[in-house]
Amino acid sequence: MAADEIAVIGGIDTHTDLHQAAVIDTIGRHLATKAFPTTPDGYQQLLDWLRSHGELLAVGLEGTGAYGAEVARFLTANSVTVVEVDRPDRKARRDNGKSDPADAYAAATAVLSGRASGTPKSRDGIVEAIRTLRVARSSAVKARTQTINQIRNLIVTAPAAVREKLRGLATGELIDTLARSRPVGDLADPDHAARVTLRRLARRHQRLGEEIAEADAGLGPLVTRAAPRLVALPGIGPETAGQLLTTAGDNPDRLRSEASFAHLCAAAPIPASSGRTNRHRLNRGGDRQANRALHTIVLVRMRHDQRTRDYVARRTAEGMAKKDIVRCLKRFVAREVYRHLPHPQITAEQLTRAA
């Protein structure tokens, strides 16, 4: 750095078409703000503009998992330290107002003050590929669930001639029966309209099932390739492993310890003591999909893993409620998963503390 060059910190408020950038110095003075297009040329112009004000120490970035994903990758590839910044809370926005330049300055100030210190996901490896593929699978699963619910609701309100033939059928048999049907008649007749609609919904359900199976065929080997030790753990399959990998990202070493991973997965215990009661409760924050994956693993282990069943029996005999047992098991699974993530930077001290 030249003798007359100052050190600066950048902040970026991300949007679809334009990113608003701001620069401050190391004592918090606002230096400049400018908008740049969200294109490769725009990213280069943004970086050149930031560096034109002095030695660039770091850049605070909002929306690293959404609008700011590509600019975060670009800055990281150009040896810029990127810090993930949470959106300002509502009280701060009420006090200070809301504008793109104000948000960009707030992002830079958050880095300077130390309020923001998180490392964003790199989103440049196999885990990002898994996350992308899971998007289509998740929406197909959701649509299939909606479809079977629509079928059952329609059966409830359908004429008796239709309803009685389908009453009591299991889901698989119901879908096959409706998909093979060949209704004939006048669409103005409610009976015939119900039969036609049920057939269409059943075929939609089958198509979605095929789409999910196709996604699983690609995701299974990919998840196993990314984290073979994780998939080998009891109660963990490609779907839950894929979600936990997505939560950790391609750079799980950004998580300082297994406790931070548990907090991210909403599996860290929250004190809920009062008076003579000393207890902890479930954490309702964090990544809810990751928490759901942990919950699924715990339920599978409670049914099929003898070690877990023995633990549940012992804690139940001690008077612990089931929800508290599940909380403890989620915390244990989070610790175990963290140790089996691909190449986490775990020190001997962290392993000793976790044990």
Side-chain angles (χ1 to χ4, degrees):
M1 182 174 69
D4 59 345
E5 188 178 26
I6 65 172
V8 298
I9 296 173
I12 303 177
D13 182 34
T14 59
H15 297 280
T16 305
D17 300 316
L18 290 174
H19 290 336
Q20 186 73 39
V23 182
I24 64 174
D25 61 17
T26 52
I27 60 175
R29 290 180 299 188
H30 294 186
L31 302 181
T33 179
K34 188 176 180 180
F36 297 89
T38 57
T39 62
D41 289 341
Y43 299 145
Q44 186 62 56
Q45 294 168 15
L46 186 154
L47 178 58
D48 293 342
W49 180 81
L50 289 172
R51 285 176 168 167
S52 69
H53 290 85
E55 182 191 15
L56 185 60
L57 301 180
V59 174
L61 188 63
E62 282 191 22
T64 58
Y67 298 123
E70 181 57 26
V71 70
R73 281 191 287 260
F74 175 83
L75 293 174
T76 302
N78 283 274
S79 303
V80 176
T81 300
V82 177
V83 179
E84 187 170 15
V85 178
D86 293 333
R87 185 176 61 182
D89 59 34
R90 293 181 178 179
K91 181 180 184 303
R93 283 192 163 172
R94 283 197 302 268
D95 293 342
N96 303 322
K98 168 71 176 77
S99 70
D100 293 345
D103 287 346
Y105 278 125
T109 303
V111 176
L112 177 62
S113 66
R115 183 179 68 82
S117 59
T119 302
K121 296 178 183 178
S122 60
R123 298 181 179 274
D124 58 358
I126 189 172
V127 173
E128 176 63 10
I130 291 171
R131 184 198 69 81
T132 303
L133 291 171
R134 291 186 73 252
V135 171
R137 185 191 186 278
S138 298
S139 63
V141 170
K142 182 177 180 180
R144 187 175 65 172
T145 301
Q146 291 174 335
T147 300
I148 189 59
N149 289 339
Q150 288 174 330
I151 289 173
R152 295 199 178 280
N153 290 337
L154 189 56
I155 290 174
V156 170
T157 60
V162 177
R163 186 174 67 250
E164 293 304 316
K165 292 180 179 180
L166 304 174
R167 187 192 298 271
L169 294 182
T171 299
E173 186 180 2
L174 175 63
I175 296 300
D176 290 340
T177 299
L178 293 174
R180 290 196 308 267
S181 64
R182 297 292 185 272
V184 177
D186 183 2
L187 283 175
D189 178 12
D191 184 286
H192 179 64
R195 294 176 189 274
V196 170
T197 302
L198 288 169
R199 176 173 177 263
R200 291 173 179 172
L201 289 172
R203 292 196 167 186
R204 179 189 300 174
H205 189 281
Q206 289 180 332
R207 289 193 298 271
L208 289 168
E210 293 170 359
E211 183 179 338
I212 294 169
E214 182 182 358
D216 287 339
L219 278 167
L222 203 59
V223 171
T224 303
R225 175 180 164 189
R229 296 171 57 215
L230 180 61
V231 179
L233 293 175
I236 300 181
E239 173 59 19
T240 51
Q243 176 57 59
L244 294 170
L245 285 171
T246 299
T247 299
D250 282 296
N251 51 335
D253 49 303
R254 69 193 178 90
L255 303 169
R256 297 182 179 88
S257 66
E258 56 86 15
S260 63
F261 177 70
H263 185 77
L264 177 62
C265 295
I270 302 295
S273 302
S274 178
R276 297 180 180 178
T277 302
N278 183 15
R279 60 179 293 270
H280 293 76
R281 67 167 177 83
L282 293 172
N283 186 345
R284 296 178 176 85
D287 187 328
R288 301 313 304 168
Q289 294 304 313
N291 190 270
R292 179 184 178 185
L294 293 179
H295 191 79
T296 300
I297 295 168
V298 167
L299 293 182
V300 172
R301 290 187 176 188
M302 288 174 70
R303 175 169 293 188
H304 301 289
D305 182 53
Q306 188 58 48
R307 180 182 56 167
T308 304
R309 295 172 66 181
D310 292 342
Y311 175 84
V312 172
R314 176 169 61 84
R315 300 296 269 176
T316 301
E318 293 173 357
M320 181 176 283
K322 182 178 179 180
K323 64 179 181 180
D324 292 326
I325 296 174
V326 171
R327 173 186 59 77
C328 293
L329 287 171
K330 282 184 180 181
R331 184 65 180 83
F332 172 81
V333 172
R335 178 183 300 117
E336 192 175 38
V337 166
Y338 179 78
R339 291 179 172 182
H340 290 81
L341 289 173
H343 309 299
Q345 301 298 316
I346 308 177
T347 66
E349 180 184 354
Q350 288 172 335
L351 284 175
T352 302
R353 186 167 60 249

